Amino acid sequence: MRKKEMIAMLLAGGQGSRLGVLTAKVAKPAVAFGGKYRIIDFPLSNCINSGIDTVGVLTQYQPLRLNTHIGIGIPWDLDRNFGGVTILPPYEKSSNSEWYTGTANAIYQNLDYMETFNPEYVLILSGDHIYKMDYEVMLDYHKENQADVTIAAMPVPKEEASRFGIVVTDNEGKISEFQEKPPEPKSNLASMGIYIFTWKILKEALIALENVPGCDFGKHIIPYCHEKTGRLFAYEYNGYWKDVGTLGSYWEANMELIDIIPEFNLYEEYWKIYTNSGILPPQYISGQAVVDRSIIGNGSEVYGEVHNCVVGSGVTIEEGTVVRDSIIMKDVRIGKGCVIDKSIIAENCVVGDNVTFGIGSDVPNKLKPAIYSFGLVTVGENSVIPDGVQVGKNTAISGLTAREDYPGGILESGETLIKAGGRV
Amino acid sequence: MRAVGIILAGGNSPKMRELTQRRAIAAMPVAGSYRAIDFALSNMSNSHIQKVAVLTQYNARSLNEHLNSSKWWDFGRKQGGLYVFTPTITADNGYWYRGTADAIYQNLDFLKKCHEPYVIITSGDAVYKMEYNKVLEYHIEKKADVTVVCKRRNPNDDASRFGILKMDETMRIEEFEEKPMLASSDMISTGIYIIRRRLLIDLIEHCAEEERHDFVTDILIRYKKLKRMYAYEIKDYWSNISTVEAYYETNMDFLKPEVRNYFFKEDPEVYSKVSDLPPAKYNPGSIVKNSLVASGSIINGTVENSVLFKKTFVGNNCVIKNSVILNDVYLGDNTYIENCIVESRDTIRANTRHVGANGVKVVVEKNERYAL
C-alpha cells in the first residue's frame, strides 16, 4: 500500500472577523500580505520546503478566493500524482451532516482523506500566521522523543503570556501542564497552534471525541491525549512568527517588511515563499514619481509619491498623489491629487481624484472600536471612493460609495460606511 | 486546431556581440520579466495553436532551462504540447542543423505525423503580438501557397539585416531579396510564414535532395515566381532584437506608455516562466525615475530611464542612466553606469564606472560576489 510518512492538514476555514471589512468576502488565509502573497502562502510554502507534498486544506468560510488561489497547487509544486494539495470543504453525509463545528471536528470529518495516505504522522497547521518553519526538523524532534503529540511553542514576554495558551514543560521538553490564557502563567512558552500527531493517537482521539460538540484541538484533543498517553512534547521555536489576526498587527507585520534588513526576510534564496501571482510585467516608476522605503509588486505603475508602503501588483498610483504608511493591495487604482495616510486599501478598489485619507483626530470607531483602531483607514475589496472626499481615522469603508454618503464631503474619524455593490 | 507552430530558435548573430556568448538570441531577456521566445510562444498559445516545435541549436542550455516546463504557456495538453528539437545523430544523418530548412528537414517526421493542414513558422527573436488565425484567414482568402508577414521598415533600421519584399497591388510578392546592401522597398520580412503542411514537406524534401539548407534563400526566394506568395502587413509593434542596438532600443521602447500598454495591459497577455521572486524593494535613498523594475530587485541608489531585470541589486549612491541591467546583477556602491547593457549575473565592483560613449556598451564583469 502506498503511503506518506507525514501529511499536513491546514485549517483555512476561519473568517478572521477581527480583520473587519478585509475578511467580509474572503477567508482570512486568502488575505493579501507583503505585496504579492496571501497569508496561506506561508504555511503552504513551509510544507513544500519541508518536504511535505500532501496537504489537505480545510475550507469553510468564503472559500472562492482560496480555491482559485490554490487551484491544483502548481505554484507550490503541489500538483502531484499521489498526494499534492486537496481542498476539503464540508460535505453532506447520509446522516449527521454538519458544518465544521471546531478545529478537530473539521479534521474528524476528513478521516477518510487522511486514511488514503496511510500516514505515520499528521501535521496540523492553521492558515493565519506569517512565519518560516522547517516542519521536518520538528518531525525529527517528535521521533526522537517518541512523542505522541509535539506542539510548537515559542517564548513570549512574561507579561504577555496570559494572552496565550501556555505549555509548562520539564527539562526534556515534556509537557506537564496546559494553561489556557492563565492569569498567573507558570511558563512563557506559548502554543503556536502547530501540532504533529502520531496518526494512531490522533485517529483514536478523534473517534473517541466524535460526539463532543465543537470539538477543538486546544480544548479537547490535546487534553485527551495528555490524559491518555502523557507523551506530549513542546518544540521550542525561536524564529519570526507573527499572528496577523488584528488590523494593527496585520499593518505592523507588513510595515516590518520594508525595513532595510527586515526580521522576516523574503529575499532569502533557500526558503522561498511561493504564491499564485500569474505572470506579470515589471513595474513602471515614472519620471515624476518618488518612491522610497517601500516594496512594490509587479505590474504596478507609480506616477505619484510612495513612502513607507507595501504595494501589491497591478496597482496604479496617479500623479500628484502621496501615499504614506499604507498597504495597497493588488489592482487598486488611486486617482490624481490624493493624500493617503496610514490606510489599508484592499484588492481592486478605486479611489477617485483629490481624496484624502487619515485626517482628523484619533476618535475610536463607534461601531466596532476593538476592530477599527490603530488610527487606520480600512477599505474593503472592490470598494469605490468618489472624487474629492475626506476620510478620518479609525474608519472603515466598503462597497460602492457616492459623494452623498460623505456628509459635507467628509467621513469623520470613528465612522463606518458599508454600502452594497462595488467595482466589478 | 488548424495549424501547428514551428519556432526557429537556433540562431546566433555576431551582431549581438558578447550577449550571445552564453545563450541563444531567443533566450535573451526582454522587457524586465520576459525572454524573447515568450512572445512567439504566447502568440501561439493565444492563437490556440497547441502543438509547437521549438528548433534549437546554438547555446541552447539557457533556452532549455526556460522551456523546462510547458505549463507556463499553457501547453502541456493531452492533444499537442511543446516539443523542443535539438539536432541528434541518426542512422542517416550526422550533421548539425545546416540551415533553417535543414532544421525542419531533420524533424520532418514531426510534421508528417501531424494532421493539421497548416504550419506557422516564426522566429524566436522578435517582440510582437499576433493572432496567427487572422493571418491564416488571409492566407486562405488569398489562396496563397505561402504568406509572409511583413512590416514597414523603420527608417533607422539597417536594411541589410532583413529580407526585403516587393509586392504588386494585390499584395502578391514579386521580389524577395535576402539582406540586400541596397533595399529596393521599405517592406521587410518578419520571418513569420504560413504555409500548407503538405506543401512545406514537399518543398523541404526537394530542397534537401538538392543539398540546399536555407528556408529563405533556397525555398522562398527560388519559388517566389512559381508559387503564390502573398505578404501580410503587420501594423502593430514588431521588433527584432538580433543586434545589440536593436536589443537595447527594444527594451527602451517599453518605457513608452503606448508600448507598455500594448504588451502589458491589453489582451491577450504575454506569458513567461514564473520565477517566485519577492516584490521589488526601494530602500531609503533610492531615486527611481522613468524606469522599469522587475521583481526581486533591491534599490538603494539612483536609476533613470533604465530597465532593471529581475533580482537587480543597486548599491548605495549608484547612478544608473539609460541602461539595461539584466537578471541577477549586483552593482556595488558608488557605481556609475550610463548607456550600457550589463550582462546577467554580473557583479560590478564598488566605485567603478562604465559609460557607453559611442553607442551602447556591453558590460561583462564576472567578479566574485563578496557581499550578500
Side-chain angles (χ1 to χ4, degrees), chain B residues 239-288:
Chain B
S239 173
N240 180 285
I241 58 157
S242 62
T243 68
V244 166
E245 290 69 29
Y247 174 71
Y248 175 84
E249 286 306 328
T250 303
N251 278 297
M252 286 300 166
D253 278 345
F254 281 84
L255 294 179
K256 299 175 188 159
E258 65 275 13
V259 175
R260 237 179 17 250
N261 281 342
Y262 178 63
F263 282 101
F264 295 169
K265 295 209 169 149
E266 285 173 28
D267 269 347
E269 59 183 306
V270 182
Y271 310 109
S272 187
K273 186 176 169 175
V274 175
S275 49
D276 295 301
L277 290 164
K281 187 154 183 263
Y282 300 79
N283 281 331
S286 72
I287 300 170
V288 182

Short mmCIF file of all heavy atoms in Angstrom, two decimals, chain B residues 239-288:
data_model
loop_
_atom_site.label_atom_id
_atom_site.label_comp_id
_atom_site.label_asym_id
_atom_site.label_seq_id
_atom_site.Cartn_x
_atom_site.Cartn_y
_atom_site.Cartn_z
N SER B 239 9.41 44.06 -33.37
CA SER B 239 10.81 44.42 -33.33
C SER B 239 11.68 43.18 -33.23
O SER B 239 11.38 42.27 -32.45
CB SER B 239 11.06 45.34 -32.12
OG SER B 239 12.43 45.57 -31.98
N ASN B 240 12.71 43.14 -34.04
CA ASN B 240 13.65 42.03 -34.00
C ASN B 240 14.84 42.47 -33.17
O ASN B 240 15.32 43.59 -33.32
CB ASN B 240 14.06 41.68 -35.43
CG ASN B 240 15.04 40.54 -35.44
OD1 ASN B 240 16.21 40.71 -35.11
ND2 ASN B 240 14.59 39.36 -35.80
N ILE B 241 15.29 41.60 -32.27
CA ILE B 241 16.30 42.04 -31.31
C ILE B 241 17.71 41.56 -31.64
O ILE B 241 18.58 41.59 -30.78
CB ILE B 241 15.95 41.55 -29.88
CG1 ILE B 241 15.84 40.02 -29.85
CG2 ILE B 241 14.68 42.19 -29.38
CD1 ILE B 241 16.05 39.44 -28.48
N SER B 242 17.94 41.13 -32.87
CA SER B 242 19.19 40.40 -33.10
C SER B 242 20.45 41.23 -33.31
O SER B 242 21.46 40.71 -33.76
CB SER B 242 19.01 39.39 -34.23
OG SER B 242 18.70 40.10 -35.40
N THR B 243 20.44 42.51 -32.97
CA THR B 243 21.71 43.24 -32.87
C THR B 243 21.71 43.93 -31.50
O THR B 243 20.65 44.14 -30.92
CB THR B 243 21.87 44.34 -33.93
OG1 THR B 243 20.92 45.38 -33.67
CG2 THR B 243 21.64 43.81 -35.34
N VAL B 244 22.86 44.28 -31.01
CA VAL B 244 22.94 44.93 -29.70
C VAL B 244 22.10 46.20 -29.69
O VAL B 244 21.34 46.46 -28.75
CB VAL B 244 24.41 45.25 -29.34
CG1 VAL B 244 24.48 46.21 -28.17
CG2 VAL B 244 25.15 43.97 -28.99
N GLU B 245 22.17 46.98 -30.78
CA GLU B 245 21.45 48.25 -30.83
C GLU B 245 19.94 48.01 -30.82
O GLU B 245 19.19 48.66 -30.09
CB GLU B 245 21.86 49.07 -32.06
CG GLU B 245 23.28 49.62 -32.00
CD GLU B 245 24.37 48.54 -32.11
OE1 GLU B 245 24.11 47.49 -32.74
OE2 GLU B 245 25.46 48.74 -31.52
N ALA B 246 19.51 47.05 -31.66
CA ALA B 246 18.08 46.77 -31.73
C ALA B 246 17.58 46.20 -30.39
O ALA B 246 16.49 46.54 -29.94
CB ALA B 246 17.80 45.76 -32.85
N TYR B 247 18.40 45.41 -29.77
CA TYR B 247 18.04 44.83 -28.48
C TYR B 247 17.86 45.93 -27.43
O TYR B 247 16.89 45.95 -26.68
CB TYR B 247 19.11 43.83 -28.04
CG TYR B 247 18.89 43.28 -26.66
CD1 TYR B 247 17.85 42.39 -26.41
CD2 TYR B 247 19.69 43.67 -25.58
CE1 TYR B 247 17.62 41.90 -25.15
CE2 TYR B 247 19.46 43.19 -24.32
CZ TYR B 247 18.43 42.30 -24.10
OH TYR B 247 18.19 41.83 -22.84
N TYR B 248 18.81 46.84 -27.43
CA TYR B 248 18.75 47.96 -26.48
C TYR B 248 17.51 48.81 -26.75
O TYR B 248 16.74 49.12 -25.83
CB TYR B 248 20.04 48.78 -26.64
CG TYR B 248 20.09 50.04 -25.81
CD1 TYR B 248 20.49 50.00 -24.48
CD2 TYR B 248 19.76 51.28 -26.36
CE1 TYR B 248 20.55 51.15 -23.72
CE2 TYR B 248 19.82 52.43 -25.61
CZ TYR B 248 20.21 52.36 -24.28
OH TYR B 248 20.26 53.51 -23.53
N GLU B 249 17.28 49.16 -28.00
CA GLU B 249 16.14 50.01 -28.35
C GLU B 249 14.81 49.32 -28.00
O GLU B 249 13.88 49.97 -27.52
CB GLU B 249 16.15 50.35 -29.85
CG GLU B 249 17.23 51.37 -30.24
CD GLU B 249 17.17 52.66 -29.43
OE1 GLU B 249 16.07 53.06 -29.02
OE2 GLU B 249 18.25 53.25 -29.18
N THR B 250 14.75 48.03 -28.25
CA THR B 250 13.50 47.31 -27.96
C THR B 250 13.19 47.38 -26.47
O THR B 250 12.06 47.62 -26.07
CB THR B 250 13.63 45.84 -28.41
OG1 THR B 250 13.95 45.83 -29.80
CG2 THR B 250 12.34 45.06 -28.19
N ASN B 251 14.21 47.19 -25.65
CA ASN B 251 13.97 47.30 -24.21
C ASN B 251 13.56 48.70 -23.82
O ASN B 251 12.64 48.90 -23.02
CB ASN B 251 15.22 46.88 -23.43
CG ASN B 251 15.30 45.37 -23.30
OD1 ASN B 251 14.44 44.75 -22.68
ND2 ASN B 251 16.31 44.79 -23.92
N MET B 252 14.22 49.70 -24.41
CA MET B 252 13.90 51.09 -24.10
C MET B 252 12.49 51.46 -24.57
O MET B 252 11.84 52.31 -23.98
CB MET B 252 14.92 52.02 -24.75
CG MET B 252 16.26 52.00 -24.05
SD MET B 252 16.06 52.51 -22.31
CE MET B 252 17.61 52.02 -21.62
N ASP B 253 12.02 50.79 -25.63
CA ASP B 253 10.66 51.05 -26.13
C ASP B 253 9.62 50.83 -25.03
O ASP B 253 8.57 51.45 -25.04
CB ASP B 253 10.35 50.12 -27.31
CG ASP B 253 10.91 50.66 -28.61
OD1 ASP B 253 11.28 51.84 -28.66
OD2 ASP B 253 10.98 49.87 -29.58
N PHE B 254 9.92 49.93 -24.11
CA PHE B 254 8.94 49.62 -23.07
C PHE B 254 8.80 50.73 -22.04
O PHE B 254 7.93 50.69 -21.18
CB PHE B 254 9.29 48.29 -22.39
CG PHE B 254 8.86 47.10 -23.21
CD1 PHE B 254 9.68 46.62 -24.22
CD2 PHE B 254 7.64 46.50 -23.01
CE1 PHE B 254 9.28 45.55 -25.00
CE2 PHE B 254 7.23 45.42 -23.77
CZ PHE B 254 8.06 44.94 -24.78
N LEU B 255 9.65 51.74 -22.12
CA LEU B 255 9.45 52.90 -21.26
C LEU B 255 8.37 53.82 -21.83
O LEU B 255 7.90 54.73 -21.16
CB LEU B 255 10.77 53.67 -21.09
CG LEU B 255 11.88 52.93 -20.34
CD1 LEU B 255 13.14 53.78 -20.27
CD2 LEU B 255 11.44 52.55 -18.93
N LYS B 256 7.98 53.57 -23.08
CA LYS B 256 6.92 54.38 -23.70
C LYS B 256 5.57 53.84 -23.27
O LYS B 256 5.33 52.63 -23.35
CB LYS B 256 7.02 54.32 -25.22
CG LYS B 256 8.32 54.86 -25.78
CD LYS B 256 8.36 54.63 -27.29
CE LYS B 256 9.73 54.97 -27.85
NZ LYS B 256 9.95 54.31 -29.13
N PRO B 257 4.67 54.73 -22.85
CA PRO B 257 3.38 54.24 -22.36
C PRO B 257 2.60 53.42 -23.40
O PRO B 257 1.97 52.43 -23.05
CB PRO B 257 2.61 55.51 -22.00
CG PRO B 257 3.42 56.65 -22.48
CD PRO B 257 4.80 56.17 -22.73
N GLU B 258 2.68 53.80 -24.68
CA GLU B 258 1.86 53.07 -25.67
C GLU B 258 2.38 51.65 -25.86
O GLU B 258 1.59 50.70 -26.01
CB GLU B 258 1.78 53.83 -27.00
CG GLU B 258 3.07 54.00 -27.78
CD GLU B 258 3.90 55.21 -27.34
OE1 GLU B 258 3.63 55.79 -26.27
OE2 GLU B 258 4.87 55.56 -28.07
N VAL B 259 3.69 51.47 -25.81
CA VAL B 259 4.25 50.11 -25.95
C VAL B 259 3.91 49.29 -24.71
O VAL B 259 3.52 48.12 -24.79
CB VAL B 259 5.78 50.17 -26.18
CG1 VAL B 259 6.37 48.77 -26.21
CG2 VAL B 259 6.09 50.93 -27.46
N ARG B 260 4.06 49.93 -23.55
CA ARG B 260 3.76 49.22 -22.30
C ARG B 260 2.30 48.79 -22.24
O ARG B 260 1.98 47.66 -21.90
CB ARG B 260 4.07 50.14 -21.13
CG ARG B 260 5.04 49.55 -20.18
CD ARG B 260 5.41 50.43 -19.02
NE ARG B 260 4.55 51.54 -18.75
CZ ARG B 260 4.91 52.80 -18.94
NH1 ARG B 260 6.07 53.09 -19.45
NH2 ARG B 260 4.08 53.77 -18.61
N ASN B 261 1.42 49.70 -22.59
CA ASN B 261 0.00 49.36 -22.58
C ASN B 261 -0.30 48.21 -23.53
O ASN B 261 -1.05 47.30 -23.21
CB ASN B 261 -0.85 50.56 -22.96
CG ASN B 261 -1.01 51.50 -21.79
OD1 ASN B 261 -0.78 51.11 -20.65
ND2 ASN B 261 -1.35 52.73 -22.07
N TYR B 262 0.29 48.30 -24.72
CA TYR B 262 0.02 47.30 -25.75
C TYR B 262 0.42 45.91 -25.28
O TYR B 262 -0.32 44.95 -25.42
CB TYR B 262 0.75 47.69 -27.03
CG TYR B 262 0.57 46.70 -28.16
CD1 TYR B 262 -0.68 46.45 -28.72
CD2 TYR B 262 1.67 46.01 -28.68
CE1 TYR B 262 -0.83 45.55 -29.75
CE2 TYR B 262 1.52 45.11 -29.72
CZ TYR B 262 0.27 44.87 -30.25
OH TYR B 262 0.11 43.97 -31.26
N PHE B 263 1.59 45.81 -24.67
CA PHE B 263 2.06 44.48 -24.26
C PHE B 263 1.60 44.08 -22.87
O PHE B 263 1.32 42.91 -22.62
CB PHE B 263 3.59 44.41 -24.31
CG PHE B 263 4.11 44.24 -25.71
CD1 PHE B 263 4.62 45.32 -26.40
CD2 PHE B 263 4.06 43.01 -26.34
CE1 PHE B 263 5.09 45.17 -27.70
CE2 PHE B 263 4.53 42.85 -27.63
CZ PHE B 263 5.04 43.94 -28.31
N PHE B 264 1.54 45.03 -21.94
CA PHE B 264 1.31 44.66 -20.54
C PHE B 264 -0.16 44.72 -20.15
O PHE B 264 -0.59 44.02 -19.25
CB PHE B 264 2.09 45.58 -19.60
CG PHE B 264 3.59 45.48 -19.72
CD1 PHE B 264 4.42 46.40 -19.09
CD2 PHE B 264 4.18 44.44 -20.43
CE1 PHE B 264 5.80 46.31 -19.18
CE2 PHE B 264 5.56 44.34 -20.53
CZ PHE B 264 6.37 45.29 -19.91
N LYS B 265 -0.92 45.60 -20.79
CA LYS B 265 -2.29 45.79 -20.30
C LYS B 265 -3.34 45.23 -21.23
O LYS B 265 -4.39 44.80 -20.79
CB LYS B 265 -2.54 47.28 -20.04
CG LYS B 265 -1.65 47.79 -18.93
CD LYS B 265 -2.28 48.93 -18.18
CE LYS B 265 -1.47 49.23 -16.93
NZ LYS B 265 -1.55 50.66 -16.60
N GLU B 266 -3.11 45.33 -22.53
CA GLU B 266 -4.13 44.85 -23.46
C GLU B 266 -4.09 43.33 -23.56
O GLU B 266 -3.04 42.72 -23.51
CB GLU B 266 -3.90 45.48 -24.84
CG GLU B 266 -4.33 46.93 -24.91
CD GLU B 266 -3.94 47.59 -26.23
OE1 GLU B 266 -3.85 46.88 -27.26
OE2 GLU B 266 -3.72 48.81 -26.23
N ASP B 267 -5.27 42.77 -23.76
CA ASP B 267 -5.35 41.33 -24.02
C ASP B 267 -4.82 41.05 -25.41
O ASP B 267 -4.93 41.91 -26.27
CB ASP B 267 -6.80 40.88 -23.92
CG ASP B 267 -7.15 40.44 -22.51
OD1 ASP B 267 -6.21 40.26 -21.72
OD2 ASP B 267 -8.33 40.28 -22.22
N PRO B 268 -4.35 39.89 -25.70
CA PRO B 268 -4.05 38.83 -24.75
C PRO B 268 -2.71 39.09 -24.06
O PRO B 268 -1.90 39.86 -24.55
CB PRO B 268 -3.96 37.60 -25.65
CG PRO B 268 -3.50 38.13 -26.96
CD PRO B 268 -4.05 39.51 -27.09
N GLU B 269 -2.50 38.44 -22.93
CA GLU B 269 -1.26 38.72 -22.21
C GLU B 269 -0.09 37.88 -22.72
O GLU B 269 -0.28 36.90 -23.44
CB GLU B 269 -1.45 38.54 -20.71
CG GLU B 269 -1.91 37.18 -20.27
CD GLU B 269 -2.13 37.13 -18.76
OE1 GLU B 269 -1.21 37.48 -18.02
OE2 GLU B 269 -3.23 36.72 -18.34
N VAL B 270 1.09 38.31 -22.33
CA VAL B 270 2.30 37.59 -22.69
C VAL B 270 2.67 36.71 -21.49
O VAL B 270 2.70 37.18 -20.37
CB VAL B 270 3.45 38.57 -23.00
CG1 VAL B 270 4.69 37.82 -23.42
CG2 VAL B 270 3.02 39.56 -24.07
N TYR B 271 2.91 35.45 -21.75
CA TYR B 271 3.24 34.53 -20.67
C TYR B 271 4.74 34.32 -20.56
O TYR B 271 5.48 34.46 -21.52
CB TYR B 271 2.57 33.17 -20.89
CG TYR B 271 1.10 33.27 -21.19
CD1 TYR B 271 0.61 32.99 -22.46
CD2 TYR B 271 0.20 33.68 -20.21
CE1 TYR B 271 -0.75 33.10 -22.75
CE2 TYR B 271 -1.15 33.80 -20.49
CZ TYR B 271 -1.62 33.51 -21.76
OH TYR B 271 -2.94 33.63 -22.03
N SER B 272 5.17 33.95 -19.37
CA SER B 272 6.57 33.61 -19.18
C SER B 272 6.67 32.65 -18.01
O SER B 272 5.67 32.37 -17.35
CB SER B 272 7.38 34.87 -18.91
OG SER B 272 8.75 34.55 -18.89
N LYS B 273 7.87 32.18 -17.78
CA LYS B 273 8.07 31.28 -16.65
C LYS B 273 8.02 32.11 -15.37
O LYS B 273 8.66 33.15 -15.28
CB LYS B 273 9.43 30.63 -16.81
CG LYS B 273 9.73 29.57 -15.81
CD LYS B 273 11.07 28.95 -16.17
CE LYS B 273 11.57 28.09 -15.06
NZ LYS B 273 12.79 27.39 -15.45
N VAL B 274 7.29 31.62 -14.39
CA VAL B 274 7.18 32.34 -13.12
C VAL B 274 8.44 32.10 -12.29
O VAL B 274 8.93 30.98 -12.22
CB VAL B 274 5.94 31.85 -12.34
CG1 VAL B 274 5.88 32.49 -10.97
CG2 VAL B 274 4.68 32.17 -13.12
N SER B 275 8.97 33.17 -11.69
CA SER B 275 10.24 32.96 -11.00
C SER B 275 10.16 33.10 -9.48
O SER B 275 11.17 33.03 -8.81
CB SER B 275 11.30 33.90 -11.56
OG SER B 275 10.78 35.19 -11.61
N ASP B 276 8.97 33.29 -8.92
CA ASP B 276 8.81 33.28 -7.46
C ASP B 276 9.75 34.23 -6.73
O ASP B 276 10.41 33.85 -5.78
CB ASP B 276 9.00 31.87 -6.90
CG ASP B 276 7.92 30.94 -7.39
OD1 ASP B 276 6.75 31.22 -7.14
OD2 ASP B 276 8.26 29.94 -8.05
N LEU B 277 9.80 35.46 -7.20
CA LEU B 277 10.64 36.44 -6.51
C LEU B 277 9.75 37.39 -5.72
O LEU B 277 8.62 37.65 -6.11
CB LEU B 277 11.45 37.22 -7.54
CG LEU B 277 12.54 36.40 -8.22
CD1 LEU B 277 13.03 37.11 -9.46
CD2 LEU B 277 13.68 36.15 -7.26
N PRO B 278 10.29 37.90 -4.61
CA PRO B 278 9.51 38.85 -3.82
C PRO B 278 9.33 40.17 -4.58
O PRO B 278 10.01 40.40 -5.59
CB PRO B 278 10.36 39.04 -2.57
CG PRO B 278 11.73 38.63 -2.95
CD PRO B 278 11.59 37.60 -4.02
N PRO B 279 8.46 41.05 -4.11
CA PRO B 279 8.30 42.34 -4.79
C PRO B 279 9.59 43.15 -4.75
O PRO B 279 10.48 42.88 -3.93
CB PRO B 279 7.23 43.05 -3.95
CG PRO B 279 6.60 42.03 -3.09
CD PRO B 279 7.58 40.91 -2.94
N ALA B 280 9.71 44.12 -5.63
CA ALA B 280 10.89 44.98 -5.63
C ALA B 280 10.89 45.86 -4.40
O ALA B 280 9.84 46.25 -3.91
CB ALA B 280 10.90 45.83 -6.89
N LYS B 281 12.09 46.17 -3.91
CA LYS B 281 12.21 46.91 -2.66
C LYS B 281 12.98 48.20 -2.88
O LYS B 281 14.04 48.19 -3.51
CB LYS B 281 12.94 46.03 -1.65
CG LYS B 281 13.00 46.56 -0.26
CD LYS B 281 13.14 45.40 0.73
CE LYS B 281 13.13 45.91 2.13
NZ LYS B 281 14.49 46.07 2.67
N TYR B 282 12.43 49.29 -2.40
CA TYR B 282 13.06 50.61 -2.54
C TYR B 282 13.48 51.06 -1.15
O TYR B 282 12.64 51.33 -0.31
CB TYR B 282 12.05 51.60 -3.13
CG TYR B 282 11.55 51.18 -4.50
CD1 TYR B 282 10.56 50.21 -4.61
CD2 TYR B 282 12.06 51.74 -5.66
CE1 TYR B 282 10.11 49.81 -5.85
CE2 TYR B 282 11.61 51.34 -6.91
CZ TYR B 282 10.63 50.37 -7.00
OH TYR B 282 10.18 49.97 -8.23
N ASN B 283 14.78 51.10 -0.93
CA ASN B 283 15.27 51.48 0.39
C ASN B 283 15.40 52.99 0.47
O ASN B 283 15.38 53.68 -0.54
CB ASN B 283 16.61 50.78 0.66
CG ASN B 283 16.40 49.33 1.06
OD1 ASN B 283 15.37 48.98 1.63
ND2 ASN B 283 17.36 48.49 0.75
N PRO B 284 15.57 53.53 1.70
CA PRO B 284 15.75 54.98 1.81
C PRO B 284 16.96 55.40 0.98
O PRO B 284 17.98 54.71 0.98
CB PRO B 284 16.02 55.19 3.31
CG PRO B 284 15.42 54.00 3.97
CD PRO B 284 15.55 52.87 3.00
N GLY B 285 16.84 56.50 0.27
CA GLY B 285 17.94 56.94 -0.58
C GLY B 285 17.76 56.55 -2.02
O GLY B 285 18.49 57.01 -2.89
N SER B 286 16.78 55.71 -2.32
CA SER B 286 16.60 55.32 -3.71
C SER B 286 15.85 56.41 -4.46
O SER B 286 14.91 57.00 -3.93
CB SER B 286 15.82 54.00 -3.79
OG SER B 286 14.48 54.20 -3.44
N ILE B 287 16.30 56.69 -5.67
CA ILE B 287 15.61 57.65 -6.53
C ILE B 287 15.42 56.95 -7.87
O ILE B 287 16.39 56.62 -8.55
CB ILE B 287 16.46 58.92 -6.72
CG1 ILE B 287 16.72 59.58 -5.37
CG2 ILE B 287 15.75 59.90 -7.67
CD1 ILE B 287 17.74 60.71 -5.41
N VAL B 288 14.19 56.69 -8.22
CA VAL B 288 13.93 55.97 -9.47
C VAL B 288 13.03 56.84 -10.35
O VAL B 288 11.99 57.31 -9.90
CB VAL B 288 13.25 54.61 -9.19
CG1 VAL B 288 13.02 53.85 -10.49
CG2 VAL B 288 14.10 53.78 -8.23
#
